[in-house]
Structures are given as structure tokens and as C-alpha cells.
Amino acid sequence: MAQTADKTPLTEQQARALAHWWGGRYEMTIDAGEVATVCHGVLLTGRPGQRHQDAAGPTRILSLEEAQEMENRRGFQEACSPDWLG
């Protein structure tokens, strides 16, 4: 998922926590635009809670808004989910 100016980038700690929470992999990428920017994210090879490959392929989560959208797709609330995620 592409990073845009209106989205809140994940911090390294948030991305690592989500990768652990969802069973994904933490990624750090460097966007070599006009100004090099470090992006922290999560690579999911399946939907959260499912370890198999999704038909759509891997998903990259790079922003808090994308993380909240992904969490909402799960269809249930986690009592122990991180407060910053919702």
C-alpha cells in the first residue's frame, strides 16, 4: 500500500508489535524520493489470524490508518489489542 501525506506512518515499535500480533514480518524500507524517508511496516502473507497465503498476495501495512482498516476486517474485537490501534 502506497504511503500518502494524509496517512500517519507507523513507528518502528508499532510495526514490530503488529508484525508479532498478526504473525507477519516487520519491514523497514527507504523511499528514495527527493528526501530519503525511512518507512516502517508489516508484510502480511495472509489475513491477520490466518497463516495461509491470501489469493490477493502479500499485503503491506505502512500507516496507522491501514492498520486500523486491517484490524476492522477481522470482524471481532480483541480485548488485548493495543490501545493505539483501537
Side-chain angles (χ1 to χ4, degrees):
M1 295 183 179
Q3 191 75 2
T4 61
D6 61 334
K7 293 188 178 180
T8 309
L10 292 173
T11 66
E12 180 179 357
Q13 186 175 10
Q14 289 171 331
R16 286 184 185 277
L18 287 173
H20 175 75
W21 183 261
W22 287 335
R25 189 178 83 217
Y26 165 76
E27 278 195 333
M28 180 184 76
T29 58
I30 298 176
D31 180 12
E34 289 181 20
V35 177
T37 306
V38 176
C39 300
H40 303 283
V42 181
L43 177 66
L44 302 172
T45 56
R47 284 179 244 132
Q50 298 177 343
R51 303 252 179 214
H52 67 283
Q53 178 73 24
D54 191 297
T59 302
R60 281 187 173 80
I61 306 295
L62 298 172
S63 72
L64 186 57
E65 291 79 8
E66 292 169 344
Q68 289 169 333
E69 180 182 324
M70 181 61 72
E71 187 65 16
N72 289 338
R73 287 187 208 157
R74 289 168 44 120
F76 60 91
Q77 289 286 27
E78 286 281 349
C80 297
S81 68
D83 290 340
W84 51 265
L85 187 58

